[in-house]
């Protein structure tokens, strides 16, 4: 086995990628990412020990958040960038370790594993006296304490990464819960980082994230304690999504119902992908009056519905479908593409021709692409992309018309009276929450067919890139209410929960599960894992997750989710429709 990763829905054979990632991740990248997560656990353990005992600068927490985000599926394929983050984490561990010693703090046993290791691999002094430092001496039985583990070269990092990956935890139920929490935290990192880029922070969430991460290699934690930590991850997931929702809407206004152009204009264009609205704002500002248009791609589509972005004439609309179509669509787009987060597909074959047109920023990275950093005030200079675009042909039109967006909580609640009336009169019989992710496997056709076959008295509530499976179908409306209400990006799933809670209140129901709402969610990467945990925290039962249940759920953990929360998966469209209706 040259690697092991099972964090996304496309993992090989729904078991695990062991030779190379289906996503394109090489074994080297996979091991470097494992090491980066390990470093994040170590920095987190130190943050935890020192919290309340000394002033901790925010950069440590931010580094942890960025490390998690870097390892989300399809975020970063650039080994050099990952190694740079490992080195940074390593330096933080060293700095925090020295602080712990200075303050004479005894390291709790549960963290010894990380922290012994830090000393062991960072000490330039072979005669270091671990006892004197209040740390037990390295233990021969612990492979992590191998003196050869160091970060001086890529090879040594990879060698170390191999020892700290997922399979290090032998018990499959413990491993399953640890990874479920890890992936939830990865999802959370994305949401808090986007909020942070807009100046919205919540130290309670950061504290939780480092506490949870540091507990993940604590062998004394019982299964019940890990289950409790899993649910707590969902609780903070709701807070993280609320934080980002507040950041987005207070900065750019509440999304409003909008017809988004999916055709093209005559100017050269820049395509912006990913989820970061601050980057879009800066790009729109800098392209104003340059003769270059900006198009959104995949998860950036919902940006077209924010009042602040609608004001820009140079925002031309959305180009293409969900992320996995990019290897074709970037060729016909002709201009440069900026990734502000996942999902990147490493270009191969004919698609390699556009690698020099790819730019990344934030935690996104791809070998061969140019990376744009922010300055100390958070400003980014996109002039290189704009100059690049000017030399490119305008995009080739691949479709025409519009798609409807902008139905986040504020817009839905603005038509709440109409919706309630339609439910009371029987014009709307059921809501189907079909948010989440899209991906390339054939079995995802299920979601298109499911949307098509839903009776005309049902409404789809969606968020995330899952919508591209059905948002261009003509599904009509019910008394002026579109049958597909798109709340926005995956993080805007929060909007759908807000709407559900509002409907519960309006209908005077004690239990949210008595609402006529079915949850049939498509998942792919770790943000969707956090959305699931958030829904469980909100007490929402019978969530269906497809097209398959996560490979990282062991049979016992799956049983807990089935018995306690009624979590299930999908079968075929007709049987599921019969069941749900
Ligand atoms: Fe495989 Fe998904 Fe991991 Fe990529 S992210 S290596 S496809 S499990
Ligand atoms: Fe999509 Fe990657 Fe999940 Fe944000 S962009 S929902 S998959």
């Amino acid at each position: 086995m040259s690697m092991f990763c099972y964090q996304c829905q496309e993992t090989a054979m729904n078991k695990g990628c062991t030779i190379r990632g289906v996503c394109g991740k090489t074994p080297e990248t996979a091991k470097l990412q494992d090491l980066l997560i390990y470093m994040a656990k170590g920095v987190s353990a130190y943050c935890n020990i020192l919290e309340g005992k000394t002033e901790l600068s925010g950069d440590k927490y931010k580094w942890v958040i960025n490390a998690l985000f870097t390892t989300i599926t399809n975020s970063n394929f650039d080994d050099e960038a990952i190694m740079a983050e490992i080195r940074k984490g390593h330096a933080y561990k060293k700095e925090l370790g020295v602080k712990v010693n200075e303050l004479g703090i005894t390291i709790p046993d549960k963290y010894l594993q990380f922290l012994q290791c830090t000393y062991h691999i960072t000490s330039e002094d072979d005669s270091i006296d671990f006892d004197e430092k209040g740390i037990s001496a390295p233990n021969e039985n612990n492979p992590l304490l191998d003196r050869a583990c160091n970060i001086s070269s890529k090879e040594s990092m990879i060698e170390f990464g191999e020892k700290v990956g997922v399979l290090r935890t032998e018990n499959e139920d413990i491993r399953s819960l640890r990874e479920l929490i890890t992936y939830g935290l990865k999802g959370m990192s994305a949401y808090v980082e986007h909020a942070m880029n807009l100046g919205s922070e919540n130290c309670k969430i950061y504290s939780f994230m480092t506490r949870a991460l540091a507990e993940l290699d604590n062998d004394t934690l019982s299964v019940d304690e890990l289950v409790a930590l899993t649910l707590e991850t969902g609780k903070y997931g709701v807070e993280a999504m609320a934080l980002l929702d507040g950041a987005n809407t207070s900065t750019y206004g509440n999304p409003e119902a909008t017809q988004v152009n999916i055709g093209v204009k005559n100017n050269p264009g820049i395509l912006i992908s990913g989820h970061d609205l601050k980057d879009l704002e800066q790009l729109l500002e800098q392209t104003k009056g340059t003769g270059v248009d900006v198009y959104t791609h995949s998860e950036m589509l919902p940006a077209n519905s924010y009042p602040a972005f609608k004001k820009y004439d140079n925002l031309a609309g959305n180009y293409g479908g969900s992320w996995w179509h990019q290897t074709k669509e970037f060729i016909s787009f002709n201009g440069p593409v900026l990734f502000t987060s996942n999902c990147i597909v490493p270009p191969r074959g004919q698609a390699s021709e556009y690698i020099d047109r790819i730019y990344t920023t934030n935690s996104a990275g791809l070998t061969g692409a140019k990376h744009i950093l922010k300055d100390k005030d958070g400003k980014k200079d996109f002039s290189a992309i704009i100059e690049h675009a000017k030399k490119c042909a305008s995009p080739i039109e691949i479709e025409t018309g519009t798609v409807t967006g902008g139905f986040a909580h504020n817009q839905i609640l603005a038509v709440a009276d109409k919706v309630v009336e339609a439910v009371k009169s029987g014009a709307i019989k059921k809501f189907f929450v079909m948010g989440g992710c899209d991906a390339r496997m054939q079995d995802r056709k299920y979601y298109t067919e499911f949307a098509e076959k839903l009776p005309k008295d049902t409404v789809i509530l969606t968020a995330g890139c899952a919508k591209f499976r059905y948002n261009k179908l003509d599904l009509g409306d019910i008394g002026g209410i579109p049958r597909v209400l798109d709340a926005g990006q995956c993080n805007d799933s929060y909007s759908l929960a807000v709407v559900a809670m509002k409907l519960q209140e309006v209908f005077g129901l004690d239990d949210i599960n008595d609402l006529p709402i079915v949850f049939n969610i498509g998942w792919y990467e770790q943000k969707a894992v956090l959305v699931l945990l958030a829904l469980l925290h909100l007490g929402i039962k019978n969530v269906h997750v497809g097209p398959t249940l996560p490979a990282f759920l062991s049979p016992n953990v799956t049983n807990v989710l089935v018995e306690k929360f009624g979590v299930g998966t999908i079968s075929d469209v007709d049987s599921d429709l019969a069941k749900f209706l």
Side-chain angles (χ1 to χ4, degrees), residues 253-323:
N254 274 299
E256 48 199 37
T258 305
Q259 297 294 321
V260 182
N261 171 42
I262 55 173
V264 299
K265 297 185 175 171
N266 293 329
N267 290 331
I270 297 172
L271 193 55
I272 179 167
S273 192
H275 305 70
D276 199 274
L277 299 186
K278 182 73 189 171
D279 288 328
L280 175 64
E281 180 192 351
Q282 298 197 48
L283 184 63
L284 286 170
E285 267 304 307
Q286 292 176 35
T287 43
K288 256 191 329 199
T290 61
V292 172
D293 285 332
V294 174
Y295 293 81
T296 57
H297 172 251
S298 193
E299 275 285 74
M300 201 56 91
L301 159 67
N304 288 280
S305 303
Y306 283 90
F309 297 134
K310 286 167 83 167
K311 287 195 292 221
Y312 288 93
D313 294 336
N314 50 327
L315 178 58
N318 188 75
Y319 191 82
S322 65
W323 64 272

Side-chain angles (χ1 to χ4, degrees), residues 3 5-12 16-17 20-25 73-74 440 524 526:
M3 61 180 276
C5 179
Y6 62 173
Q7 67 174 358
C8 84
Q9 194 274 328
E10 287 194 352
T11 194
C17 294
R20 188 189 169 94
V22 173
C23 58
K25 193 158 78 174
T73 300
N74 294 339
R440 59 204 130 191
Y524 171 61
Q526 298 76 52

Side-chain angles (χ1 to χ4, degrees), residues 275 298-299 323 342-343 436-438 464-465 490 524-525 527:
H275 305 70
S298 193
E299 275 285 74
W323 64 272
N342 58 321
C343 277
C437 311
D438 191 21
C465 62
C490 45
Y524 171 61
E525 37 82 324
K527 300 182 203 184

Side-chain angles (χ1 to χ4, degrees), residues 329-344:
E329 292 170 352
F330 288 1
I331 295 176
S332 59
F333 184 74
N334 286 332
V337 180
L338 172 64
F339 275 102
T340 66
S341 63
N342 58 321
C343 277
I344 300 173

